[in-house]
């Protein structure tokens, strides 16, 4: 099953994971909604998301379920969630949110893990140290997206 996951915000990330393939064949990346009004930012986001959906051809969608948010990216998170949910609905895909505490507990065994703990946990998983050695930089958002895709919790 190919899971496409998202970690939302002004700077956002995605991961496409296939449980029938080694992690070296997974794909992930990041986007930036940039400057401008909400409509302009969401238009750019939607274009990128549709392109990712077409290229990755997922069977299901997972995303960070956010109940409240603060900071510069907060005004984008709910619209991003809605756009991804609508695209999933249009394609007949299962779509589910996973809260951050559950993700952290899955990743590290603790629901209050910080970002360095999340990276350390990812590097301990089979195949990831070798895969990430080829990447110049993996953001915290990408690490979260990788775990959302690999958690399989709603499926």
């Amino acid at each position: 099953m190919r899971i496409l996951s998202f970690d939302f915000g002004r700077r956002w990330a995605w991961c496409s994971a296939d449980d029938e393939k080694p992690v070296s064949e997974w794909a992930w990346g990041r986007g930036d909604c940039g400057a401008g009004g909400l409509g302009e930012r969401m238009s750019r986001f939607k274009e990128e998301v549709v392109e990712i959906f077409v290229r990755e051809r997922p069977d299901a969608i997972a995303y960070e379920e956010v109940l409240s948010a603060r900071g510069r990216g907060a005004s984008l998170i709910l619209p991003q969630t809605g756009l991804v949910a609508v695209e999933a609905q249009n394609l007949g895909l299962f779509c589910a949110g996973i809260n951050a505490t559950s993700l952290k507990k899955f990743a590290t065994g603790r629901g209050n893990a910080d970002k360095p703990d999340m990276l350390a946990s990812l590097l301990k998983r089979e195949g990831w140290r070798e895969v990430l050695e080829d990447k110049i930089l993996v953001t915290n958002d990408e690490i979260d997206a990788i775990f959302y895709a690999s958690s399989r919790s709603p499926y």
Side-chain angles (χ1 to χ4, degrees):
M1 173 179 275
R2 183 174 286 277
I3 307 294
L4 180 59
S5 67
F6 293 91
D7 185 73
F8 298 125
R10 186 176 73 79
R11 291 188 177 99
W12 54 278
W14 61 274
C15 177
S16 179
D18 190 330
D19 58 4
E20 296 178 9
K21 295 184 177 180
V23 295
S24 61
E25 294 183 30
W26 290 13
W28 66 90
R30 57 188 171 262
D32 190 331
C33 290
L38 183 60
E40 186 180 354
R41 288 175 165 200
M42 289 300 94
S43 180
R44 284 192 300 267
F45 176 76
K46 182 179 180 184
E47 286 177 17
E48 288 187 60
V49 165
V50 168
E51 183 180 301
I52 293 167
F53 270 65
V54 169
R55 182 180 62 241
E56 298 301 325
R57 302 175 53 160
D59 300 308
I61 306 299
Y63 60 88
E64 179 180 11
E65 183 178 61
V66 176
L67 302 177
S68 66
R70 347 178 256 274
R72 295 190 318 182
S75 64
L76 300 171
I77 293 171
L78 292 178
Q80 288 171 323
T81 302
L83 282 171
V84 166
V86 167
E87 289 302 316
Q89 175 70 30
N90 289 342
L91 295 171
L93 300 175
F94 178 78
C95 185
I98 305 167
N99 71 53
T101 301
S102 295
L103 178 73
K104 291 175 181 183
K105 192 166 188 172
F106 164 76
T108 68
R110 293 186 352 262
N112 63 348
D114 58 16
K115 296 300 182 180
D117 292 335
M118 297 287 283
L119 176 59
S121 178
L122 184 61
L123 291 173
K124 290 178 186 174
R125 292 176 184 259
E126 185 176 343
W128 279 106
R129 184 169 297 280
E130 296 78 16
V131 168
L132 294 178
E133 283 176 354
D134 294 336
K135 287 285 238 184
I136 295 171
L137 175 68
V138 176
T139 66
N140 293 330
D141 297 326
E142 288 173 298
I143 293 167
D144 288 350
I146 289 166
F147 275 118
Y148 281 117
S150 63
S151 72
R152 306 279 190 264
S153 66
Y155 312 105

